[in-house]
Amino acid sequence: MRRYLVVANQTLGGEELLTAIRKRMAGGDSHFHLLVPATPAGQLDPGSAGGTGEAGGQAAGAGPEGLDRSAARQLLEDELDDADPKDSGEDLGRRLARQRMRHQLDRMRELGASVSGEIGVADPVDAVGVVLHRWEFDEVILSTLPGRRSRWLAADLPTKIRRGFKLPVTQVTGATTAER
């Protein structure tokens, strides 16, 4: 089974990214792990509006307390959803990242993809490093904003990931949620 690390935030839900995912699914058994670096609200693209979607989960597997991971994660997410976001102290950018991730997980599952996901630290290189410390992947799919609007491209993120982690990187350019 091929394993893909998908790194995206503001471009989640875009057709460009889904096309790249479909292409890999057509190549055989695969698992996708969605990593959404939590870009602080002040650093989001001005064209980016609020997130989309609800609910999401994790791959199933038995855990402590007799709950499988999916059920335990859903209980935790429901609890977090019930909390007033203004009381949580959570940055708006992190909340938007969580909403986008949940929506993308649902869309990928509708395609029949095996998928898991997590919110990472704001710095995408650090976020990738944390995930790669726990799991191995065959390829990184990096979804960025176009050209000059992309802080990730300005920082040469594709090259940093490719060289720093010795993995092939496919860069996909997409529109923000607000532009769709």
Side-chain angles (χ1 to χ4, degrees):
M1 174 180 289
R2 302 223 3 120
R3 296 182 48 83
Y4 300 95
L5 176 60
V6 179
V7 184
N9 186 339
Q10 297 176 81
T11 57
L12 282 173
E15 204 49 47
E16 300 86 355
L17 179 57
L18 286 176
T19 297
I21 289 166
R22 282 187 198 104
K23 180 179 175 184
R24 279 143 185 93
M25 287 175 63
D29 284 345
S30 53
H31 177 79
F32 299 89
H33 185 75
L34 182 59
L35 171 62
V36 185
T39 304
Q43 295 177 9
L44 292 172
D45 184 71
S48 178
T52 57
E54 279 297 314
Q58 185 82 7
E65 312 295 325
L67 292 174
D68 69 12
R69 286 184 192 163
S70 179
R73 180 147 183 131
Q74 190 61 52
L75 288 172
L76 176 60
E77 288 178 354
D78 289 345
E79 186 176 301
L80 290 173
D81 286 343
D82 291 341
D84 184 354
K86 294 176 187 138
D87 295 337
S88 73
E90 184 177 58
D91 176 74
L92 172 63
R94 189 169 194 82
R95 284 198 315 266
L96 292 174
R98 188 177 316 284
Q99 290 174 336
R100 289 183 188 114
M101 179 189 71
R102 289 177 179 161
H103 179 71
Q104 184 71 19
L105 288 170
D106 287 343
R107 287 189 73 186
M108 290 174 70
R109 287 184 182 121
E110 287 170 7
L111 292 175
S114 167
V115 62
S116 56
E118 68 184 271
I119 303 299
V121 296
D123 181 282
V125 175
D126 290 345
V128 168
V130 168
V131 172
L132 291 177
H133 184 72
R134 294 184 304 222
W135 295 297
E136 293 183 11
F137 295 92
D138 299 298
E139 179 184 2
V140 175
I141 302 171
L142 178 68
S143 181
T144 69
L145 292 169
R148 294 179 186 223
R149 291 176 46 202
S150 174
R151 289 179 34 255
W152 290 1
L153 289 178
D156 199 17
L157 189 59
T159 302
K160 286 180 180 177
I161 293 172
R162 187 178 301 112
R163 288 183 181 163
F165 302 109
K166 309 286 189 254
L167 281 171
V169 176
T170 299
Q171 190 254 322
V172 177
T173 302
T176 65
T177 309
E179 296 171 326
R180 284 183 228 114

